[in-house]
């Protein structure tokens, strides 16, 4: 499922030692992790390297930030060698989960595998690992960090990071993001917040954060909810005391052996003239749930609502998400044929629906996970006008 990086070569360890004040050692622990360390008293942070721009280079130019990936891979061990200041914050163990082809070729088995590893390394009784960092290609990173966030069974920090510029670029962002992610993951104040995202000096919640720009380093943001903190001088400064996001639910996948067992959920774009035959086709192709990016705040066409009712009778949920980059798809005051996604965009709604189905919640159970908190806020004695 996942592979611990092989023991670092003598040449690599020596290359770090040349630029550090103390010698670098590598020690294996009971998990089989090999810890790269300058100081054994520092916190331990495990790095799950799934690849991405942060590991990439370009053969074209040092100003290429659009067609990179053709150059040699820049593995995390090299980054530790070039930026050994990272080892002044924590001891690092590297778990290689990278695959060729970029994050657009990944699927939900990745978040399952990362979550399974993190639950073992962070949440096992007696574990002395302070936190985890994940490298990931930014194209689909929010799918993976959201899936891990909802399935990690302890309060230790899990921090997602990466890069928007390859290592060959004249001002690459990867090393800074790496250092800051390690600083956050090793900070005692980072726990009890759920999954975290660290990019471009900012710390935000994995539950709410989305990628907002396809090209610029300042892309991962929680637009409505804001940042949890910032990195100043590389160190985390928290704006708030620890707390978990409202409506964040934990899903236990410990009984599932393989990520391929996760139910198939598709996302459809709810344009004008939406073709409802796509909903039937998705089910015929094995979909156990459907997310539709509805118009505005998750509005579905009359025909789509009708088909959603037919699928509801078959136990197949349809979730209405929203097309705008921010806002909420709020539930109606009356019974619906579909489920409203709340503040979740379609990508996150797909992951949560997949997890609801994987844990056997059924149509009504899935609806409660998505809608319960928002329903309680909107529909109560203060809004009795909806029912008069």
């Amino acid at each position: 499922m996942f592979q611990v990086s092989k023991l670092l070569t003598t040449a690599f360890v020596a290359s770090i030692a040349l630029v550090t004040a103390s010698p670098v050692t590598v020690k294996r622990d009971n998990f089989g992790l090999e810890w790269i360390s300058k100081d054994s008293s520092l916190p331990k942070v495990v790095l799950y390297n799934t690849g991405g721009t942060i590991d990439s280079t370009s053969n074209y130019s040092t100003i290429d930030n659009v067609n990179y990936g053709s150059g040699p891979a820049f593995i995390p061990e090299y980054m530790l060698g070039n930026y050994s200041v990272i080892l002044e914050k924590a001891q690092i163990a590297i778990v290689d989960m990278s695959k060729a082809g970029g994050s657009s070729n990944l699927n939900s088995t990745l978040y399952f595998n990362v979550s399974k590893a993190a639950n073992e390394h962070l949440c096992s009784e007696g574990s002395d690992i302070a936190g985890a960092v994940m490298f990931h290609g930014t194209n689909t990173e929010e799918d993976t960090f959201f899936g891990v966030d909802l399935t990690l069974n302890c309060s230790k920090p899990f921090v997602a990071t990466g890069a928007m510029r390859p290592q060959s670029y004249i001002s690459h962002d990867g090393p800074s993001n790496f250092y800051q992610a390690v600083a956050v993951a090793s900070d005692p104040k980072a726990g009890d917040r759920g999954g975290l995202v660290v990019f471009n000096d900012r710390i935000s919640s994995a539950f709410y954060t989305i990628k907002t720009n396809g090209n610029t380093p300042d892309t991962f943001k929680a637009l409505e909810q804001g940042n949890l903190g910032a990195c100043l001088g590389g160190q985390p400064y928290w704006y708030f005391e620890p707390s978990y996001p409202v409506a964040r639910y934990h899903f236990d996948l410990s009984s599932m052996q393989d990520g391929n067992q996760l139910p198939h959920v598709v996302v459809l774009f709810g344009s004008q003239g939406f073709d409802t035959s796509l909903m039937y086709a998705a089910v015929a192709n094995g979909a156990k749930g459907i997310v539709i990016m509805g118009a505005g705040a998750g509005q579905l066409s009359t025909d789509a609502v009708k088909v959603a009712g037919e699928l509801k009778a078959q136990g197949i949920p349809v979730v209405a998400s929203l097309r705008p980059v921010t806002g909420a798809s709020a539930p109606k005051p009356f019974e619906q044929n579909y489920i409203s996604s709340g503040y979740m965009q379609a990508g996150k709604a797909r992951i949560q629906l997949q997890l609801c189905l994987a844990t056997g919640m059924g149509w009504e159970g899935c609806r409660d996970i998505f809608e319960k908190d928002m329903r309680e806020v909107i529909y109560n004695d203060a809004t009795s006008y909806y029912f008069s």
Side-chain angles (χ1 to χ4, degrees):
M1 181 181 66
F2 54 90
Q3 178 182 359
V4 177
S5 291
K6 294 181 180 179
L7 187 66
L8 298 177
T9 64
T10 303
F12 167 66
V13 173
S15 71
I16 303 181
L18 287 174
V19 293
T20 59
S22 57
V24 173
T25 60
V26 179
K27 294 182 179 179
R28 184 181 291 270
D29 67 7
N30 293 334
F31 293 119
L33 298 172
E34 293 173 347
W35 291 96
I36 309 166
S37 173
K38 292 198 314 180
D39 181 349
S40 61
S41 70
L42 291 174
K44 291 180 175 179
V45 173
V46 59
L47 168 65
Y48 302 115
N49 177 33
T50 74
T53 299
I54 196 167
D55 290 346
S56 299
T57 61
S58 172
N59 279 330
Y60 295 112
S61 169
T62 57
I63 56 171
D64 173 28
N65 66 346
V66 291
N67 290 306
Y68 52 85
S70 55
F74 196 89
I75 62 175
E77 290 88 342
Y78 294 165
M79 208 178 305
L80 288 175
N82 289 344
Y83 305 95
S84 60
V85 67
I86 296 168
L87 292 175
E88 296 174 10
K89 287 301 299 182
Q91 305 176 72
I92 305 294
I94 301 169
V95 179
D96 184 28
M97 296 181 166
S98 58
K99 293 184 178 180
S103 66
S104 298
N105 291 312
L106 299 174
N107 57 40
S108 294
T109 59
L110 180 62
Y111 83 68
F112 176 87
N113 290 338
V114 174
S115 175
K116 189 168 185 177
N119 273 296
E120 177 188 1
H121 296 148
L122 301 184
C123 307
S124 293
E125 185 176 355
S127 170
D128 64 348
I129 301 174
V133 169
M134 180 182 70
F135 284 179
H136 198 293
T138 61
N139 286 344
T140 62
E141 185 162 11
E142 67 185 82
D143 297 45
T144 303
F145 67 59
F146 186 68
V148 176
D149 181 33
L150 297 188
T151 55
L152 186 63
N153 193 31
C154 62
S155 61
K156 292 182 180 179
F158 178 90
V159 182
T161 193
M164 290 296 290
R165 294 169 172 171
Q167 291 292 332
S168 51
Y169 196 74
I170 56 175
S171 60
H172 47 271
D173 54 334
S176 174
N177 289 341
F178 187 12
Y179 178 90
Q180 293 177 359
V182 169
V184 170
S186 59
D187 185 3
K189 296 180 181 179
D192 295 302
R193 298 177 187 268
L196 301 169
V197 181
V198 174
F199 267 83
N200 206 50
D201 303 334
R202 293 178 172 88
I203 310 167
S204 57
S205 166
F207 189 78
Y208 290 120
T209 299
I210 60 172
K211 186 176 183 180
T212 63
N213 188 293
N215 308 102
T216 64
D218 191 21
T219 179
F220 282 96
K221 299 178 181 179
L223 292 171
E224 289 282 353
Q225 298 80 16
N227 298 315
L228 301 181
C231 289
L232 303 173
Q235 313 313 310
Y237 178 88
W238 301 98
Y239 301 148
F240 313 102
E241 292 297 317
S243 65
Y244 288 96
V246 172
R248 177 181 176 271
Y249 189 86
H250 174 258
F251 298 88
D252 184 0
L253 297 183
S254 59
S255 63
M256 187 174 291
Q257 301 302 313
D258 190 327
N260 289 312
Q261 295 174 262
L262 290 165
H264 181 42
V265 175
V266 302
V267 177
L268 303 176
F269 187 83
S271 63
Q272 289 183 342
F274 175 70
D275 184 358
T276 57
S277 69
L278 296 172
M279 299 169 71
Y280 294 116
V283 173
N285 199 37
K288 304 302 181 184
I290 297 172
V291 176
I292 300 177
M293 295 175 66
Q299 300 302 306
L300 303 186
S301 69
T302 303
D303 289 344
V305 172
K306 180 180 178 182
V307 175
E310 296 174 19
L311 297 180
K312 177 182 177 181
Q314 302 174 39
I316 298 173
V318 173
V319 173
S321 183
L322 61 160
R323 282 166 49 181
V325 69
T326 188
S329 173
K332 306 295 184 186
F334 44 81
E335 184 72 17
Q336 300 177 136
N337 288 339
Y338 58 91
I339 298 166
S340 296
S341 72
Y343 277 103
M344 288 184 191
Q345 276 76 20
K348 291 181 186 289
R350 181 187 76 85
I351 299 295
Q352 179 155 289
L353 181 56
Q354 188 176 54
L355 290 169
C356 288
L357 294 170
T359 51
M361 292 187 173
W363 198 99
E364 292 185 355
C366 293
R367 178 193 59 193
D368 289 345
I369 293 297
F370 276 95
E371 295 185 356
K372 183 174 182 293
D373 289 272
M374 194 166 283
R375 278 193 175 279
E376 290 177 351
V377 169
I378 300 174
Y379 304 115
N380 51 51
D381 290 343
T383 57
S384 57
Y385 50 80
Y386 283 118
F387 308 102
S388 59

